[in-house]
Amino acid sequence: MAGDDPDISLLRPYLMTSGRAQPVDQSLEIEAQVMTSRLGAASHPKLTFERQEIVSLCRSTMSVAEVAAMLGLHIGVARVLVADLAELGYVVVRRPGSHNSHDLGMIERVIRGLEAIH
């Protein structure tokens, strides 16, 4: 079965990110909140499969960690894809600030997202 082949499971993330291990925005935090833009919603049919999934998921705001967990992606792959989509204007990223550091709900969602990755 292809899903059991370790070479294929390692190749898929490589292909999704065009071989990049770092996002175009290396400062993108895993707790950053991501939301689909109007351009992203309009461009949805033209995007590749994983990017379509991210644009669909982020119609409701969620963190980069939650995106990774929901799609079963390594957090590094999710950061690369989200940063690419943000650079193209398909998603809007709200960076965490000091006002979010006390948002217990957001912190709990990020923790659940990280736990779901394992």
Side-chain angles (χ1 to χ4, degrees), residues 2 27 41 44-45 58-59 74-77 79 85 95 106 117:
S27 68
H44 183 270
C58 293
R59 288 188 174 144
H74 182 278
I75 191 72
V77 172
R79 286 181 67 226
L85 289 168
R95 309 309 281 261
M106 190 267 304
I117 292 171

Side-chain angles (χ1 to χ4, degrees), residues 99-112:
H99 67 279
N100 286 341
S101 65
H102 295 87
D103 182 351
L104 187 56
M106 190 267 304
I107 293 168
E108 289 174 349
R109 287 192 310 273
V110 170
I111 290 170
R112 281 193 306 272

Side-chain angles (χ1 to χ4, degrees), residues 45-87:
K46 301 174 190 171
L47 300 174
T48 60
F49 182 71
E50 292 80 12
R51 288 168 176 82
Q52 279 183 345
E53 287 184 320
I54 293 171
V55 166
S56 292
L57 274 176
C58 293
R59 288 188 174 144
S60 297
T61 303
M62 62 177 51
S63 70
V64 175
E66 289 172 300
V67 169
M70 297 289 287
L71 297 180
L73 297 173
H74 182 278
I75 191 72
V77 172
R79 286 181 67 226
V80 169
L81 296 175
V82 168
D84 287 352
L85 289 168
E87 184 177 58

Side-chain angles (χ1 to χ4, degrees), residues 8-25:
I8 291 175
S9 64
L10 292 174
L11 182 61
R12 185 172 178 257
Y14 181 84
L15 293 174
M16 285 189 288
T17 63
S18 301
R20 292 175 296 131
Q22 294 295 318
V24 290
D25 177 359

